[in-house]
Amino acid sequence: MAPIQSNGQHATSSLDALSELYGNTFSVIKSMALKAALDLGIADAIHHHGGAATMAQIATRVTLHPSKIPCLRRLMRVLTLSGIFAVQKPAPGDAAAEADEAPMYTLTPVSRLLIGAGNQRHMMSMLLHPCFIAPFFRISDWLQLELPEPCMFKHTHGQSFWEMTNEDAAFNTVVNDGMASDSAFMMDILVREHGEVFQGISSLVDVAGGNGAAARAIAKAFPEVKCSVMDLAHVVADAPRGTGVEFIAGDMFDSIPAAHAVFLKWIMHDWSDNDCVKILRNCKKAIPSRDAGGKVVIMDIVVGVGPSDQKHRDVQILFDALIMFVNGVERDEQEWKKLFVEAGFSSYKIMPVMGFRSIIEVYP
């Protein structure tokens, strides 16, 4: 027999559920608080003061009307709640610090990713850009439309993500800067900690590699590897010169330049299964046999693979929801395997060494 729940217990349970409901509803405020911190440069302000700063010190380093300092304090509460910053407690017995009621805000491992070399400020600014956020206000009516077109982005903005990057120079810069910052951060870890991925190859083409940040990192770490980037003509036209990386205008759905290895960093999740098979078949045509060392190297999410803690799993699931805005999908191992088999590859190896992302080597 089930225990009888008293009215008081029922009320407590309902109120707890209500708090959780509000917490989920207000999650967007955490994202917007982070966006404000990026726009204002709060992490830089704290870093300027040695990694710990009072509200008054922060206010002197950001563009802020003096009347809004109390509002900034409330924003900092949210940012400390979400772990972006922390409040430094006085050392035990430090009477002077205890007497000073002004809290000291400090950087955390999360906010340290927003300052210095390899920072992720541009990537987070891209993901929090209004053009990225707006489509999610229309999920419910988009779900009533038959796939594949329009994607959620086009349903909201009247043009696809790729069309907007091609036609809107400012938005294209936001996207390129975001992807370049991600490449700089992830590639530094990849070539430093898992460089064996690129050993034994003589040439590599980074497909849809944008401004070449990933290819430059590989070329710098492995000067014996001839690195090139293939992307659409308008991307190549704006690519940096004199980097030691060759840029080739082309379309991965038509053909891919011949190379010992093909690199696909965070590309496949943008495309349908059929499109991915087309890309992979072109990759297979571009590389030599497995006996000659040919392979495709993919950096992407493999849902359910990697660190088992809830934080990493949550990010994989949220990315899968995010990428719906271009009709993309994050795949589990069986879904990846299906693509590889259909494209004619013989085997693959998944290395869950990049946090919530993995490295996949695919062999012809």
PDB file of all heavy atoms in Angstrom, residues 181-209:
ATOM      1  N   SER A 181      38.170  30.883 -33.141  1.00  0.00           N
ATOM      2  CA  SER A 181      38.542  30.797 -31.720  1.00  0.00           C
ATOM      3  C   SER A 181      38.385  29.366 -31.212  1.00  0.00           C
ATOM      4  O   SER A 181      39.221  28.877 -30.433  1.00  0.00           O
ATOM      5  CB  SER A 181      37.704  31.762 -30.871  1.00  0.00           C
ATOM      6  OG  SER A 181      36.354  31.348 -30.769  1.00  0.00           O
ATOM      7  N   ASP A 182      37.353  28.676 -31.671  1.00  0.00           N
ATOM      8  CA  ASP A 182      37.186  27.271 -31.294  1.00  0.00           C
ATOM      9  C   ASP A 182      38.330  26.432 -31.853  1.00  0.00           C
ATOM     10  O   ASP A 182      38.885  25.576 -31.162  1.00  0.00           O
ATOM     11  CB  ASP A 182      35.847  26.741 -31.805  1.00  0.00           C
ATOM     12  CG  ASP A 182      35.641  25.274 -31.458  1.00  0.00           C
ATOM     13  OD1 ASP A 182      35.347  24.972 -30.290  1.00  0.00           O
ATOM     14  OD2 ASP A 182      35.798  24.426 -32.360  1.00  0.00           O
ATOM     15  N   SER A 183      38.692  26.691 -33.116  1.00  0.00           N
ATOM     16  CA  SER A 183      39.779  25.937 -33.734  1.00  0.00           C
ATOM     17  C   SER A 183      41.088  26.144 -32.997  1.00  0.00           C
ATOM     18  O   SER A 183      41.833  25.186 -32.739  1.00  0.00           O
ATOM     19  CB  SER A 183      39.943  26.352 -35.207  1.00  0.00           C
ATOM     20  OG  SER A 183      38.879  25.857 -35.986  1.00  0.00           O
ATOM     21  N   ALA A 184      41.397  27.401 -32.655  1.00  0.00           N
ATOM     22  CA  ALA A 184      42.656  27.686 -31.961  1.00  0.00           C
ATOM     23  C   ALA A 184      42.725  26.928 -30.639  1.00  0.00           C
ATOM     24  O   ALA A 184      43.764  26.343 -30.301  1.00  0.00           O
ATOM     25  CB  ALA A 184      42.793  29.192 -31.736  1.00  0.00           C
ATOM     26  N   PHE A 185      41.629  26.930 -29.908  1.00  0.00           N
ATOM     27  CA  PHE A 185      41.600  26.270 -28.596  1.00  0.00           C
ATOM     28  C   PHE A 185      41.685  24.753 -28.731  1.00  0.00           C
ATOM     29  O   PHE A 185      42.515  24.090 -28.089  1.00  0.00           O
ATOM     30  CB  PHE A 185      40.313  26.665 -27.866  1.00  0.00           C
ATOM     31  CG  PHE A 185      40.197  26.095 -26.479  1.00  0.00           C
ATOM     32  CD1 PHE A 185      40.804  26.718 -25.412  1.00  0.00           C
ATOM     33  CD2 PHE A 185      39.459  24.944 -26.247  1.00  0.00           C
ATOM     34  CE1 PHE A 185      40.706  26.198 -24.124  1.00  0.00           C
ATOM     35  CE2 PHE A 185      39.358  24.408 -24.970  1.00  0.00           C
ATOM     36  CZ  PHE A 185      39.975  25.049 -23.907  1.00  0.00           C
ATOM     37  N   MET A 186      40.822  24.182 -29.572  1.00  0.00           N
ATOM     38  CA  MET A 186      40.762  22.728 -29.696  1.00  0.00           C
ATOM     39  C   MET A 186      41.990  22.154 -30.391  1.00  0.00           C
ATOM     40  O   MET A 186      42.497  21.088 -30.007  1.00  0.00           O
ATOM     41  CB  MET A 186      39.504  22.322 -30.463  1.00  0.00           C
ATOM     42  CG  MET A 186      38.198  22.713 -29.774  1.00  0.00           C
ATOM     43  SD  MET A 186      38.003  21.982 -28.132  1.00  0.00           S
ATOM     44  CE  MET A 186      37.779  20.250 -28.539  1.00  0.00           C
ATOM     45  N   MET A 187      42.497  22.857 -31.396  1.00  0.00           N
ATOM     46  CA  MET A 187      43.650  22.342 -32.125  1.00  0.00           C
ATOM     47  C   MET A 187      44.912  22.382 -31.287  1.00  0.00           C
ATOM     48  O   MET A 187      45.792  21.525 -31.431  1.00  0.00           O
ATOM     49  CB  MET A 187      43.847  23.118 -33.430  1.00  0.00           C
ATOM     50  CG  MET A 187      42.722  22.936 -34.430  1.00  0.00           C
ATOM     51  SD  MET A 187      42.349  21.198 -34.817  1.00  0.00           S
ATOM     52  CE  MET A 187      43.896  20.667 -35.534  1.00  0.00           C
ATOM     53  N   ASP A 188      45.025  23.364 -30.416  1.00  0.00           N
ATOM     54  CA  ASP A 188      46.179  23.405 -29.511  1.00  0.00           C
ATOM     55  C   ASP A 188      46.226  22.141 -28.661  1.00  0.00           C
ATOM     56  O   ASP A 188      47.287  21.532 -28.479  1.00  0.00           O
ATOM     57  CB  ASP A 188      46.104  24.649 -28.622  1.00  0.00           C
ATOM     58  CG  ASP A 188      47.233  24.696 -27.602  1.00  0.00           C
ATOM     59  OD1 ASP A 188      48.397  24.817 -28.014  1.00  0.00           O
ATOM     60  OD2 ASP A 188      46.941  24.574 -26.395  1.00  0.00           O
ATOM     61  N   ILE A 189      45.067  21.737 -28.158  1.00  0.00           N
ATOM     62  CA  ILE A 189      44.997  20.512 -27.346  1.00  0.00           C
ATOM     63  C   ILE A 189      45.251  19.290 -28.216  1.00  0.00           C
ATOM     64  O   ILE A 189      46.000  18.386 -27.832  1.00  0.00           O
ATOM     65  CB  ILE A 189      43.629  20.412 -26.655  1.00  0.00           C
ATOM     66  CG1 ILE A 189      43.461  21.552 -25.641  1.00  0.00           C
ATOM     67  CG2 ILE A 189      43.453  19.054 -25.967  1.00  0.00           C
ATOM     68  CD1 ILE A 189      42.071  21.656 -25.042  1.00  0.00           C
ATOM     69  N   LEU A 190      44.660  19.266 -29.409  1.00  0.00           N
ATOM     70  CA  LEU A 190      44.780  18.090 -30.274  1.00  0.00           C
ATOM     71  C   LEU A 190      46.228  17.843 -30.696  1.00  0.00           C
ATOM     72  O   LEU A 190      46.735  16.725 -30.567  1.00  0.00           O
ATOM     73  CB  LEU A 190      43.884  18.241 -31.501  1.00  0.00           C
ATOM     74  CG  LEU A 190      43.892  17.077 -32.494  1.00  0.00           C
ATOM     75  CD1 LEU A 190      43.477  15.775 -31.822  1.00  0.00           C
ATOM     76  CD2 LEU A 190      42.981  17.378 -33.687  1.00  0.00           C
ATOM     77  N   VAL A 191      46.911  18.875 -31.193  1.00  0.00           N
ATOM     78  CA  VAL A 191      48.275  18.654 -31.688  1.00  0.00           C
ATOM     79  C   VAL A 191      49.264  18.439 -30.541  1.00  0.00           C
ATOM     80  O   VAL A 191      50.269  17.742 -30.703  1.00  0.00           O
ATOM     81  CB  VAL A 191      48.747  19.824 -32.586  1.00  0.00           C
ATOM     82  CG1 VAL A 191      47.839  19.972 -33.791  1.00  0.00           C
ATOM     83  CG2 VAL A 191      48.829  21.132 -31.829  1.00  0.00           C
ATOM     84  N   ARG A 192      48.956  19.017 -29.373  1.00  0.00           N
ATOM     85  CA  ARG A 192      49.870  18.888 -28.232  1.00  0.00           C
ATOM     86  C   ARG A 192      49.695  17.558 -27.505  1.00  0.00           C
ATOM     87  O   ARG A 192      50.672  16.924 -27.098  1.00  0.00           O
ATOM     88  CB  ARG A 192      49.647  20.065 -27.275  1.00  0.00           C
ATOM     89  CG  ARG A 192      50.529  20.076 -26.045  1.00  0.00           C
ATOM     90  CD  ARG A 192      50.544  21.451 -25.389  1.00  0.00           C
ATOM     91  NE  ARG A 192      49.276  22.142 -25.450  1.00  0.00           N
ATOM     92  CZ  ARG A 192      48.304  21.998 -24.542  1.00  0.00           C
ATOM     93  NH1 ARG A 192      48.462  21.176 -23.530  1.00  0.00           N
ATOM     94  NH2 ARG A 192      47.180  22.692 -24.657  1.00  0.00           N
ATOM     95  N   GLU A 193      48.448  17.129 -27.343  1.00  0.00           N
ATOM     96  CA  GLU A 193      48.172  15.941 -26.543  1.00  0.00           C
ATOM     97  C   GLU A 193      47.935  14.682 -27.382  1.00  0.00           C
ATOM     98  O   GLU A 193      48.114  13.573 -26.892  1.00  0.00           O
ATOM     99  CB  GLU A 193      46.938  16.190 -25.656  1.00  0.00           C
ATOM    100  CG  GLU A 193      47.074  17.380 -24.718  1.00  0.00           C
ATOM    101  CD  GLU A 193      48.106  17.158 -23.632  1.00  0.00           C
ATOM    102  OE1 GLU A 193      48.387  15.991 -23.305  1.00  0.00           O
ATOM    103  OE2 GLU A 193      48.638  18.169 -23.109  1.00  0.00           O
ATOM    104  N   HIS A 194      47.516  14.864 -28.637  1.00  0.00           N
ATOM    105  CA  HIS A 194      47.142  13.704 -29.456  1.00  0.00           C
ATOM    106  C   HIS A 194      47.689  13.845 -30.881  1.00  0.00           C
ATOM    107  O   HIS A 194      47.007  13.543 -31.860  1.00  0.00           O
ATOM    108  CB  HIS A 194      45.620  13.533 -29.474  1.00  0.00           C
ATOM    109  CG  HIS A 194      45.023  13.543 -28.101  1.00  0.00           C
ATOM    110  ND1 HIS A 194      45.152  12.494 -27.220  1.00  0.00           N
ATOM    111  CD2 HIS A 194      44.323  14.517 -27.433  1.00  0.00           C
ATOM    112  CE1 HIS A 194      44.544  12.793 -26.080  1.00  0.00           C
ATOM    113  NE2 HIS A 194      44.043  14.010 -26.191  1.00  0.00           N
ATOM    114  N   GLY A 195      48.931  14.292 -30.963  1.00  0.00           N
ATOM    115  CA  GLY A 195      49.556  14.547 -32.252  1.00  0.00           C
ATOM    116  C   GLY A 195      49.738  13.321 -33.108  1.00  0.00           C
ATOM    117  O   GLY A 195      49.952  13.433 -34.329  1.00  0.00           O
ATOM    118  N   GLU A 196      49.621  12.133 -32.498  1.00  0.00           N
ATOM    119  CA  GLU A 196      49.775  10.904 -33.285  1.00  0.00           C
ATOM    120  C   GLU A 196      48.754  10.816 -34.416  1.00  0.00           C
ATOM    121  O   GLU A 196      48.959  10.085 -35.394  1.00  0.00           O
ATOM    122  CB  GLU A 196      49.665   9.670 -32.382  1.00  0.00           C
ATOM    123  CG  GLU A 196      48.298   9.407 -31.764  1.00  0.00           C
ATOM    124  CD  GLU A 196      48.028  10.186 -30.467  1.00  0.00           C
ATOM    125  OE1 GLU A 196      48.870  11.039 -30.108  1.00  0.00           O
ATOM    126  OE2 GLU A 196      46.986   9.943 -29.840  1.00  0.00           O
ATOM    127  N   VAL A 197      47.667  11.565 -34.287  1.00  0.00           N
ATOM    128  CA  VAL A 197      46.637  11.575 -35.339  1.00  0.00           C
ATOM    129  C   VAL A 197      47.226  12.045 -36.670  1.00  0.00           C
ATOM    130  O   VAL A 197      46.826  11.581 -37.741  1.00  0.00           O
ATOM    131  CB  VAL A 197      45.459  12.478 -34.914  1.00  0.00           C
ATOM    132  CG1 VAL A 197      44.497  12.714 -36.072  1.00  0.00           C
ATOM    133  CG2 VAL A 197      44.717  11.863 -33.733  1.00  0.00           C
ATOM    134  N   PHE A 198      48.203  12.967 -36.605  1.00  0.00           N
ATOM    135  CA  PHE A 198      48.750  13.570 -37.823  1.00  0.00           C
ATOM    136  C   PHE A 198      50.135  13.033 -38.188  1.00  0.00           C
ATOM    137  O   PHE A 198      50.734  13.486 -39.165  1.00  0.00           O
ATOM    138  CB  PHE A 198      48.812  15.090 -37.659  1.00  0.00           C
ATOM    139  CG  PHE A 198      47.477  15.707 -37.324  1.00  0.00           C
ATOM    140  CD1 PHE A 198      47.226  16.204 -36.054  1.00  0.00           C
ATOM    141  CD2 PHE A 198      46.459  15.750 -38.262  1.00  0.00           C
ATOM    142  CE1 PHE A 198      46.004  16.757 -35.725  1.00  0.00           C
ATOM    143  CE2 PHE A 198      45.224  16.297 -37.956  1.00  0.00           C
ATOM    144  CZ  PHE A 198      44.992  16.797 -36.682  1.00  0.00           C
ATOM    145  N   GLN A 199      50.638  12.104 -37.428  1.00  0.00           N
ATOM    146  CA  GLN A 199      51.948  11.536 -37.734  1.00  0.00           C
ATOM    147  C   GLN A 199      51.842  10.525 -38.873  1.00  0.00           C
ATOM    148  O   GLN A 199      50.861   9.783 -38.965  1.00  0.00           O
ATOM    149  CB  GLN A 199      52.540  10.886 -36.487  1.00  0.00           C
ATOM    150  CG  GLN A 199      52.936  11.904 -35.415  1.00  0.00           C
ATOM    151  CD  GLN A 199      53.370  11.265 -34.110  1.00  0.00           C
ATOM    152  OE1 GLN A 199      53.254  10.055 -33.929  1.00  0.00           O
ATOM    153  NE2 GLN A 199      53.873  12.075 -33.195  1.00  0.00           N
ATOM    154  N   GLY A 200      52.858  10.523 -39.734  1.00  0.00           N
ATOM    155  CA  GLY A 200      52.894   9.556 -40.822  1.00  0.00           C
ATOM    156  C   GLY A 200      52.148   9.967 -42.067  1.00  0.00           C
ATOM    157  O   GLY A 200      52.029   9.178 -43.004  1.00  0.00           O
ATOM    158  N   ILE A 201      51.605  11.195 -42.096  1.00  0.00           N
ATOM    159  CA  ILE A 201      50.929  11.670 -43.308  1.00  0.00           C
ATOM    160  C   ILE A 201      51.773  12.777 -43.939  1.00  0.00           C
ATOM    161  O   ILE A 201      52.478  13.520 -43.247  1.00  0.00           O
ATOM    162  CB  ILE A 201      49.495  12.171 -43.030  1.00  0.00           C
ATOM    163  CG1 ILE A 201      49.491  13.378 -42.085  1.00  0.00           C
ATOM    164  CG2 ILE A 201      48.631  11.058 -42.469  1.00  0.00           C
ATOM    165  CD1 ILE A 201      48.128  14.002 -41.892  1.00  0.00           C
ATOM    166  N   SER A 202      51.693  12.895 -45.238  1.00  0.00           N
ATOM    167  CA  SER A 202      52.502  13.891 -45.948  1.00  0.00           C
ATOM    168  C   SER A 202      51.706  15.123 -46.357  1.00  0.00           C
ATOM    169  O   SER A 202      52.275  16.197 -46.567  1.00  0.00           O
ATOM    170  CB  SER A 202      53.124  13.253 -47.195  1.00  0.00           C
ATOM    171  OG  SER A 202      52.101  12.754 -48.062  1.00  0.00           O
ATOM    172  N   SER A 203      50.386  14.983 -46.461  1.00  0.00           N
ATOM    173  CA  SER A 203      49.549  16.115 -46.853  1.00  0.00           C
ATOM    174  C   SER A 203      48.171  15.971 -46.239  1.00  0.00           C
ATOM    175  O   SER A 203      47.715  14.855 -45.939  1.00  0.00           O
ATOM    176  CB  SER A 203      49.437  16.216 -48.381  1.00  0.00           C
ATOM    177  OG  SER A 203      48.845  15.038 -48.917  1.00  0.00           O
ATOM    178  N   LEU A 204      47.519  17.106 -46.043  1.00  0.00           N
ATOM    179  CA  LEU A 204      46.191  17.123 -45.415  1.00  0.00           C
ATOM    180  C   LEU A 204      45.389  18.277 -45.984  1.00  0.00           C
ATOM    181  O   LEU A 204      45.921  19.379 -46.174  1.00  0.00           O
ATOM    182  CB  LEU A 204      46.337  17.274 -43.895  1.00  0.00           C
ATOM    183  CG  LEU A 204      45.048  17.425 -43.064  1.00  0.00           C
ATOM    184  CD1 LEU A 204      45.186  16.692 -41.724  1.00  0.00           C
ATOM    185  CD2 LEU A 204      44.731  18.910 -42.800  1.00  0.00           C
ATOM    186  N   VAL A 205      44.115  18.031 -46.263  1.00  0.00           N
ATOM    187  CA  VAL A 205      43.210  19.096 -46.663  1.00  0.00           C
ATOM    188  C   VAL A 205      42.117  19.233 -45.615  1.00  0.00           C
ATOM    189  O   VAL A 205      41.476  18.253 -45.228  1.00  0.00           O
ATOM    190  CB  VAL A 205      42.611  18.849 -48.068  1.00  0.00           C
ATOM    191  CG1 VAL A 205      41.852  17.524 -48.144  1.00  0.00           C
ATOM    192  CG2 VAL A 205      41.691  20.001 -48.475  1.00  0.00           C
ATOM    193  N   ASP A 206      41.960  20.452 -45.109  1.00  0.00           N
ATOM    194  CA  ASP A 206      40.929  20.769 -44.122  1.00  0.00           C
ATOM    195  C   ASP A 206      39.702  21.248 -44.899  1.00  0.00           C
ATOM    196  O   ASP A 206      39.702  22.345 -45.469  1.00  0.00           O
ATOM    197  CB  ASP A 206      41.451  21.856 -43.174  1.00  0.00           C
ATOM    198  CG  ASP A 206      40.450  22.241 -42.093  1.00  0.00           C
ATOM    199  OD1 ASP A 206      39.409  21.567 -41.994  1.00  0.00           O
ATOM    200  OD2 ASP A 206      40.721  23.200 -41.351  1.00  0.00           O
ATOM    201  N   VAL A 207      38.690  20.409 -44.939  1.00  0.00           N
ATOM    202  CA  VAL A 207      37.495  20.698 -45.746  1.00  0.00           C
ATOM    203  C   VAL A 207      36.557  21.623 -44.970  1.00  0.00           C
ATOM    204  O   VAL A 207      36.261  21.384 -43.804  1.00  0.00           O
ATOM    205  CB  VAL A 207      36.775  19.389 -46.131  1.00  0.00           C
ATOM    206  CG1 VAL A 207      35.461  19.691 -46.839  1.00  0.00           C
ATOM    207  CG2 VAL A 207      37.679  18.547 -47.033  1.00  0.00           C
ATOM    208  N   ALA A 208      36.118  22.693 -45.654  1.00  0.00           N
ATOM    209  CA  ALA A 208      35.290  23.731 -45.019  1.00  0.00           C
ATOM    210  C   ALA A 208      36.018  24.306 -43.809  1.00  0.00           C
ATOM    211  O   ALA A 208      35.423  24.549 -42.769  1.00  0.00           O
ATOM    212  CB  ALA A 208      33.919  23.180 -44.633  1.00  0.00           C
ATOM    213  N   GLY A 209      37.308  24.552 -44.008  1.00  0.00           N
ATOM    214  CA  GLY A 209      38.181  24.992 -42.907  1.00  0.00           C
ATOM    215  C   GLY A 209      38.218  26.478 -42.649  1.00  0.00           C
ATOM    216  O   GLY A 209      39.072  26.942 -41.885  1.00  0.00           O
TER     217      GLY A 209
END
